[in-house]
Amino acid sequence: MPRREPISSRKTQKTEKNYAEPVNKRRTNAERSAYFARREAAKVLRSTLQGDARQRAVGSIKTLVYSPSIRNKKATFALVCETLKHLSVIKDVLDDANILSAKWKEGTLTGDAERYVMLKKDALQSALSQILSRNGAKEVKDLVVLDKISDLQKPRFARVNTLKMDTESVISELRKQYKVKKDDMIPDLLILQPRTDLHNHPLIVNGSVFLQGKGSSMVAVALGPEPGWEVIDACAAPGNKTLHLAALMKGTGKIIACERDEKRVKRLKENVILSGALNVNVKHEDFLNLNPSDPSCAKIRAILLDPSCSGSGTVVDRLDHLLPSYRAGQFDDEIKRLRKLAGFQKRVLEHALSFPAVERIVYSTCSIHQIENEDIINSVLHLASSHGFQLETVFPQWPRRGLPTFDGSEHLLRTDIVEDKEGFFIALFVRKIFQHSEDPVGVLGKKVKVASKFRKPSNIFVAKMLKVPFKPRKKL
């Protein structure tokens, strides 16, 4: 006769198994909303923490929370932030309580994790009490140590998608609910009060308006492509700058939007469809693999280059200060990461300079680090000059310029993380002597030289920005 297990053992196993059984109790609407918010927060946290561990994020915390797939955005965002703030405490409690089996840690055991954890509530509470006592703390908030990031009151910026709606109509619609004013420098950029939540507004949902910061909105205007041009956005996802280019070009010409990451390509395509930009061709390809001598690249006249960077200029906006990698404060690892990023940034900029018909190149980052900004520009100046490029002043009326690390740094633009609530960097290369004809690669041996002391405004928006008269240029 087989031996029967002790009653206590059978009871424990039964209790352990119950967490996987469905709950028959019907929830109220509020309980259901909270339940789904916790599930959605768990998905965002999994993606965020996995990307942080690999140092290759799919998107910022806000990008993930405010994606179309998340229904209860406000509650999900609050849960994600609070979980990340208390992540170190949560880990300590789980370790001390020792409630997670090897299968749970490996992720091979299925079932309702939330119910399982709630069954261990007493053990968790006991572990927390011991941790508080050990650290001489009275409350959980005493255990939370975060880097002191100022609570900067950043205005909410929103860019009108003029491919779908004119600016005045958008302002009229938004003013029914909010205080709105135009930015004094960037066409079609609107300024709203800090913390204004537009994510579920109909104009956002239908693609008439995109949430985009001022620094980011400067980049496409600085490039200044004309309607009908062929342009490359070298590192395009999630597509804010790509779509801004499409609007400035009035939906004409051609924009090749390159993105090497498959998941980010999907998001890019969704945004392109939402915007109604018919002149954008999304390519799931590394920009470095494009051959400048290929006939398909023979008519490319401008390149927007916003490569992967540290994101240090948007740390508050992106909430990166809540991530484990930021709070670890591992100086040596960060230096290695910055050097690796700088190596990539230099390669893509050098590649952009090699396209034969290109007249204008913008290099931008959302970084505050010199190694990703001035040092990159300084390192390619000789190569740029050999191709006929030189630096041109970006937004001359802007007061904050590049760090004075080399002659010509006054042409560069910086935004300040305290003064402007974000840290952006923009450099503009303009080719003063360039090939441009029906045979721009020079196969027929024809070269057209174009030289000027300064370049005329490319369109009426740039002319207004520079406060100079605008005269349409004659086509060559």
Side-chain angles (χ1 to χ4, degrees):
M1 179 181 292
R3 293 179 58 189
R4 297 186 66 184
E5 294 180 348
I7 293 176
S8 59
S9 176
R10 294 202 305 271
K11 184 178 179 180
T12 301
Q13 288 183 10
K14 184 178 180 180
T15 304
E16 295 270 335
K17 290 179 181 178
N18 279 342
Y19 74 89
E21 296 174 0
V23 180
N24 294 322
K25 181 184 175 182
R26 297 189 66 176
R27 296 185 176 93
T28 64
N29 288 338
E31 288 173 337
R32 288 177 60 194
S33 178
Y35 174 82
F36 285 114
R38 292 195 296 272
R39 290 296 181 268
E40 291 177 331
K43 291 179 182 178
V44 171
L45 285 163
R46 184 183 301 112
S47 179
T48 299
L49 294 173
Q50 287 177 348
D52 186 55
R54 295 194 302 264
Q55 293 190 352
R56 187 170 180 79
V58 175
S60 70
I61 295 170
K62 284 188 175 179
T63 299
L64 295 173
V65 169
Y66 290 107
S67 68
S69 62
I70 302 296
R71 290 181 292 180
N72 193 340
K73 293 177 171 59
K74 188 173 182 179
T76 300
F77 182 68
L79 282 168
V80 168
C81 290
E82 288 303 308
T83 302
L84 289 174
K85 285 179 183 177
H86 297 87
L87 189 60
S88 60
V89 179
I90 292 170
K91 287 182 175 180
D92 288 343
V93 170
L94 289 172
D95 287 342
D96 280 22
N98 195 28
I99 66 168
L100 300 184
S101 66
K103 288 185 177 181
W104 272 107
K105 291 179 180 179
E106 293 167 6
T108 57
L109 189 63
T110 59
D112 190 333
E114 184 176 307
R115 288 199 68 212
Y116 175 81
V117 170
M118 290 307 295
L119 288 171
K120 306 293 183 180
K121 184 177 179 180
D122 290 343
L124 293 168
Q125 189 64 53
S126 175
L128 177 59
S129 298
Q130 292 177 23
I131 291 171
L132 288 169
S133 177
R134 238 182 3 246
N135 289 274
K138 294 181 179 180
E139 298 176 320
V140 173
K141 67 180 182 181
D142 297 330
L143 298 173
V144 179
V145 180
L146 295 176
D147 295 271
K148 293 182 179 179
I149 301 294
S150 300
D151 185 18
L152 301 174
Q153 290 292 304
K154 181 181 178 181
R156 168 67 72 189
F157 289 96
R159 180 180 60 79
V160 178
N161 176 16
T162 53
L163 296 175
K164 282 196 170 184
M165 199 168 180
D166 66 90
T167 304
E168 294 305 322
S169 296
V170 169
I171 292 175
S172 177
E173 187 66 27
L174 289 176
R175 278 182 175 165
K176 294 177 182 178
Q177 295 178 264
Y178 311 104
K179 292 183 178 180
V180 186
K181 65 177 182 178
K182 283 185 178 181
D183 185 75
D184 60 1
M185 198 170 76
I186 306 298
D188 306 320
L189 186 66
L190 307 180
I191 308 173
L192 295 91
Q193 298 282 22
R195 302 185 186 278
T196 301
D197 188 358
L198 294 174
H199 289 91
N200 293 321
H201 194 281
L203 294 179
I204 297 291
V205 175
N206 68 22
S208 297
V209 174
F210 283 86
L211 299 177
Q212 186 171 357
K214 182 163 181 171
S216 174
S217 300
M218 287 179 172
V219 179
V221 178
L223 186 64
E226 295 183 7
W229 277 19
E230 292 192 13
V231 178
I232 291 177
D233 188 346
C235 307
N240 279 342
K241 299 178 186 69
T242 311
L243 304 180
H244 197 178
L245 289 173
L248 291 173
M249 294 166 64
K250 304 183 186 302
T252 65
K254 181 181 180 182
I255 300 171
I256 300 173
C258 297
E259 178 54 51
R260 62 182 183 178
D261 185 272
E262 186 174 359
K263 290 182 180 179
R264 289 169 65 83
V265 165
K266 182 181 177 182
R267 180 77 190 282
L268 174 60
K269 288 181 177 178
E270 290 172 351
N271 284 334
V272 170
I273 293 171
L274 179 64
S275 73
L278 301 178
N279 59 338
V280 176
N281 176 25
V282 176
K283 289 179 72 72
H284 180 200
E285 188 169 352
D286 190 332
F287 170 66
L288 289 171
N289 292 334
L290 295 187
N291 182 0
S293 300
D294 191 279
S296 64
C297 298
K299 295 182 180 180
I300 301 298
R301 297 180 68 176
I303 296 177
L304 190 155
L305 184 57
D306 187 66
S308 298
C309 71
S310 63
S312 52
T314 58
V315 62
V316 176
D317 196 41
R318 288 171 51 90
L319 304 176
D320 287 354
H321 59 289
L322 298 178
L323 297 175
S325 61
Y326 185 91
R327 289 156 63 184
Q330 296 177 347
F331 180 78
D332 291 340
D333 289 345
E334 180 65 10
I335 290 296
K336 289 178 182 178
R337 177 171 171 259
L338 288 174
R339 286 174 178 166
K340 185 177 180 180
L341 285 167
F344 168 72
Q345 291 156 355
K346 182 180 179 182
R347 286 198 305 276
V348 290
L349 180 52
E350 288 174 340
H351 190 59
L353 290 165
S354 68
F355 281 72
V358 166
E359 301 175 34
R360 298 169 72 83
I361 298 171
V362 157
Y363 172 87
S364 66
T365 72
C366 53
S367 170
I368 62 174
H369 298 302
Q370 177 184 322
I371 191 174
E372 297 181 271
N373 298 329
E374 287 84 1
D375 289 356
I376 296 295
I377 301 305
N378 191 24
S379 70
V380 302
L381 284 179
H382 181 74
L383 176 65
S385 179
S386 70
H387 286 292
F389 285 98
Q390 66 184 53
L391 289 171
E392 190 161 296
T393 304
V394 183
F395 295 97
Q397 71 273 41
W398 187 256
R400 286 170 280 285
R401 314 310 306 182
L403 301 178
T405 58
F406 63 90
D407 290 339
S409 64
E410 67 277 5
H411 295 297
L412 311 176
L413 179 147
R414 271 181 174 266
T415 65
D416 185 80
I417 199 166
V418 175
E419 294 290 331
D420 309 306
K421 315 302 186 289
E422 59 184 359
F424 263 80
F425 174 87
I426 304 175
L428 171 63
F429 288 94
V430 175
R431 198 193 302 256
K432 298 302 180 180
I433 301 176
F434 66 93
Q435 300 176 23
H436 182 66
S437 66
E438 294 300 319
D439 178 36
V441 182
V443 175
L444 301 178
K446 297 178 181 179
K447 294 184 179 181
V448 179
K449 291 187 177 181
V450 179
S452 64
K453 187 175 181 181
F454 58 89
R455 187 175 182 271
K456 294 179 180 179
S458 59
N459 57 49
I460 193 169
F461 292 119
V462 177
K464 287 181 179 179
M465 174 192 72
L466 297 176
K467 298 180 180 179
V468 296
F470 171 71
K471 293 182 180 180
R473 297 192 310 171
K474 294 181 180 180
K475 294 185 178 180
L476 293 174

